[in-house]
Amino acid sequence: MPRDRNETRRRILAGAYALFYAEGFQRVSLDAIASRAGLTKRTLYNHFETKDALVAAALAEHASLAADLTRVWCEGAAQSPEGLVRHLFTELRAWASKPDWRGSGFTRAAMELAWAPGHPARAAASDHKTVVERAIARALERRGACDPARCAAALAVLIEGANALRMIHGDDAWYDVAEAAALDLL
Amino acid sequence: MPRDRNETRRRILAGAYALFYAEGFQRVSLDAIASRAGLTKRTLYNHFETKDALVAAALAEHASLAADLTRVWCEGAAQSPEGLVRHLFTELRAWASKPDWRGSGFTRAAMELAWAPGHPARAAASDHKTVVERAIARALERRGACDPARCAAALAVLIEGANALRMIHGDDAWYDVAEAAALDLL
C-alpha cells in the first residue's frame, strides 16, 4: 500500500474507533466518520467497502494499541503475582475514572452485535480478549504464580465482570470486589 | 388503568422485549414493535410516548420475570453454599445453551446505551443487577455462608464476566472457570 494511502487508512480507523467508542458502533454513521477524517464518503468507501468491514478493522487496529497497553501495565507491576493483580486493578480504576470512559469497546461491540454471531467485529473482540488473557498468564508465570493459566482465566472473568458492573452501576467498588477475589484466588 | 388497556400494554412490552433481545435495543424500530403487537403506531404511541420510554418499560417488565426466575433458581438449589453456586452455574449453562440465547439483555441494553448515562434503561439495568445480587446474598445467608454479602458481590462479578465471555467466545468453559473461582471463594 502506498504510504499516503496507508496513512489515510490509519487516520480513518483511529477517528472511527474514537467515534464508535464515544457514541456506539451501530449509531455512528459513515457520514460522521468521513466528516471526522476530512474525507468524502466516496474516498471512505475506497478504503472500506462496508460499515461492517470498517467496524471490524477499527477494532483490530485498536486491539494492537490495547494489547501494547496491557503489556505496559503488566511490565509496570511489582514482581509478585499479588503485585501484578493490585497493579492491574489500579490501572483499571484510573482508566474508568476518565470522563470519557464507556467500558470495554470490544465488549460493547460484541454486545451491540449480539444478534450477528458471524460479524467480523465479533471475531476481533474474541481475539483481543484472548491476547489480553495470554499476556496476563505470561506475566503471572514470570512472577511464579502456581497455576498461571487458571489464574489468568479467573482474572479475565473478574476483570470482564468488574468493567461491566462499573459501567452499569457507575461505582468503582466493583473493582475492589474483583481485586479482593483475585487476590484470594492466587 | 382499564383491564384491556393494561393487557395491551403488557402485550406490547413482552413483544418489544423479545424483539430487543433478539435484534438489539437500538436496531429494532417502533414499526416492528407495533407490527408484532398487531397495533398501529398511533396506538403504540398512545401507550409509550417515546422509544426510550418503551425500552425502559420493557426492561422493567422483564426484570420482574427475571427476578422471579432467580428466586426459583435459588430455591431449587441444595442447602449448602456450594450447592447453591453449583446450581446457579448449571442453570446459567442451560440458559446459554438455548439457540436464541444472546447474553444478558440488561447488560446489553446498558452497553448499547453506554453513550447515554442518564437513559432510563440504564437505571432499569442497574436496579435489576442489584435485585439479583441481593437474592443471591439472601440465599447464601440461609445456607450459612460465612460472609454472604461479600460472596454475593464476588458471585455477581463472576456471573457477569462469565456471561459476557460466554457470548464473546461462544464457549461454555467460561462458566466452569467462574464456578471454580466462586467455589474457591466460599
Side-chain angles (χ1 to χ4, degrees):
Chain A
M1 209 182 298
R3 188 154 170 238
D4 280 0
R5 184 169 165 80
N6 207 7
E7 277 177 12
T8 304
R9 188 176 192 275
R10 277 173 189 266
R11 185 154 50 93
I12 295 169
L13 291 178
Y17 186 82
L19 277 176
F20 289 142
Y21 186 78
E23 297 175 26
F25 291 84
Q26 295 190 102
R27 224 169 132 246
V28 169
S29 67
L30 289 181
D31 282 324
I33 291 164
S35 160
R36 180 170 176 133
L39 301 170
T40 62
K41 218 163 144 187
R42 178 191 289 262
T43 308
L44 183 63
Y45 275 120
N46 195 261
H47 285 266
F48 301 97
E49 283 189 4
T50 62
K51 185 177 165 188
D52 287 350
L54 174 56
V55 169
L59 281 174
E61 180 82 1
H62 189 72
S64 94
L65 299 175
D68 288 346
L69 186 62
T70 303
R71 281 184 283 268
V72 169
W73 287 6
C74 289
E75 279 162 22
Q79 290 305 312
S80 67
E82 292 76 13
L84 177 68
V85 165
R86 288 204 176 91
H87 188 69
L88 288 177
F89 281 99
T90 299
E91 294 285 7
L92 287 168
R93 277 186 206 92
W95 177 49
S97 74
K98 294 183 179 177
D100 57 356
W101 184 82
R102 306 263 191 282
S104 159
F106 299 94
T107 302
R108 282 173 49 210
M111 297 266 172
E112 284 202 33
L113 296 163
W115 52 274
H119 194 290
R122 294 280 302 269
S126 173
D127 290 348
H128 175 65
K129 300 283 174 189
T130 302
V131 165
V132 168
E133 186 199 344
R134 287 186 186 155
I136 293 176
R138 280 193 302 274
L140 282 167
E141 190 171 19
R142 279 198 300 275
R143 286 164 177 80
C146 59
D147 191 346
R150 186 190 59 81
C151 280
L155 252 171
V157 175
L158 288 165
I159 291 172
E160 190 67 39
N163 280 337
L165 292 174
R166 166 67 176 79
M167 222 255 305
I168 291 167
H169 295 301
D171 186 348
D172 256 10
W174 292 99
Y175 288 126
D176 305 340
V177 169
E179 180 179 2
L183 290 171
D184 277 354
L185 290 171
L186 282 177
Chain B
M1 211 182 291
R3 190 158 165 232
D4 281 359
R5 183 167 166 81
N6 207 7
E7 277 178 13
T8 303
R9 188 176 192 275
R10 276 172 189 267
R11 185 155 49 92
I12 294 169
L13 290 178
Y17 186 83
L19 278 177
F20 289 141
Y21 186 77
E23 298 175 25
F25 292 83
Q26 295 190 103
R27 223 169 132 247
V28 169
S29 67
L30 289 181
D31 282 324
I33 291 164
S35 160
R36 179 168 175 135
L39 300 172
T40 62
K41 218 163 145 187
R42 179 191 288 262
T43 309
L44 184 62
Y45 276 119
N46 194 261
H47 285 266
F48 301 96
E49 283 189 5
T50 63
K51 185 177 166 188
D52 287 349
L54 174 56
V55 169
L59 280 173
E61 181 83 2
H62 189 72
S64 95
L65 298 175
D68 287 347
L69 186 62
T70 303
R71 281 184 283 269
V72 169
W73 286 7
C74 288
E75 279 163 21
Q79 290 306 309
S80 66
E82 292 76 14
L84 176 68
V85 164
R86 289 205 176 89
H87 189 69
L88 288 178
F89 280 99
T90 298
E91 295 285 6
L92 287 168
R93 276 185 207 92
W95 177 49
S97 74
K98 292 183 181 177
D100 57 357
W101 184 82
R102 307 264 190 282
S104 160
F106 299 95
T107 302
R108 282 174 48 208
M111 298 266 171
E112 284 201 32
L113 296 163
W115 52 275
H119 195 289
R122 294 280 301 268
S126 172
D127 289 350
H128 174 65
K129 300 285 175 188
T130 302
V131 165
V132 168
E133 187 199 344
R134 287 186 185 155
I136 292 176
R138 281 193 301 276
L140 282 166
E141 189 170 21
R142 280 198 299 274
R143 286 164 178 80
C146 60
D147 191 345
R150 186 191 59 81
C151 281
L155 252 171
V157 175
L158 288 166
I159 291 172
E160 190 66 38
N163 280 336
L165 292 174
R166 167 67 176 78
M167 222 255 303
I168 291 167
H169 296 301
D171 186 348
D172 255 10
W174 293 98
Y175 289 126
D176 305 342
V177 170
E179 180 179 4
L183 290 171
D184 276 353
L185 290 170
L186 282 176

